[in-house]
Amino acid sequence: MRTLERTEGIDAPVDIEKVSDLTTQANAFSVGLGPTERVVVWDTLLDGRFSNDEIRVVLAHEFGHIAHHHLWKGLAWAALFTFPLAFGVARITARRGGLGNPGLLPYGALVLLLLNVAITPLTNVVSRRYEGE
């Protein structure tokens, strides 16, 4: 782990989260922005089922997200999509009286869901690109 940190130039702590009493699934993820960035590894990844090389690959993957600033980029993409989606929901629901009418909130939620489904291919392209990096 320390070798990977030095190689990637990462100074993010690695936390081990105890989840073995809840699941047998293995997982790791990177979270945080700026000084709060860290990698979280589930203890199930370290229970002996996986080789050191497999664990190293998982850690390298998570360090890669931090090194390439994917958390910041993800936040930027979310901001980029939030305003057009909100505008779309407002425009589409305005035809029936707008979201000021509490009775239209289920309709607004449906519109938001459909707009999210419509942009799923684009968000998948972005996500796959980051995973490929």
Side-chain angles (χ1 to χ4, degrees):
M1 181 170 47
R2 300 295 172 228
T3 303
L4 285 171
E5 287 176 333
R6 282 191 301 274
T7 302
E8 291 293 330
I10 302 296
D11 188 27
V14 176
D15 296 336
I16 299 172
E17 188 171 327
K18 183 175 178 352
V19 297
S20 55
D21 52 341
L22 303 172
T23 185
T24 60
Q25 297 295 313
N27 196 14
F29 52 92
S30 52
V31 295
L33 297 170
T36 64
E37 287 178 331
R38 63 190 172 103
V39 172
V40 178
V41 177
W42 286 3
D43 65 338
T44 51
L45 184 65
L46 308 173
D47 65 6
R49 291 181 292 158
F50 302 96
S51 70
N52 286 341
D53 287 340
E54 290 171 320
I55 295 169
R56 196 173 296 119
V57 167
V58 171
L59 287 172
H61 174 86
E62 297 308 329
F63 286 149
H65 284 306
I66 292 173
H68 292 283
H69 308 289
H70 290 163
L71 300 171
W72 284 107
K73 291 175 184 177
L75 185 61
W77 278 106
L80 181 69
F81 284 115
T82 297
F83 297 110
L85 285 174
F87 180 76
V89 169
R91 293 285 295 170
I92 293 169
T93 58
R95 296 177 184 166
R96 295 189 178 198
L99 289 176
N101 177 354
L104 285 179
L105 287 178
Y107 177 64
L110 175 64
V111 170
L112 181 61
L113 172 75
L114 294 175
L115 289 174
N116 273 303
V117 168
I119 67 166
T120 295
L122 181 59
T123 59
N124 283 343
V125 166
V126 172
S127 174
R128 294 305 97 200
R129 179 170 182 261
Y130 290 162
E131 290 299 318
E133 286 182 358

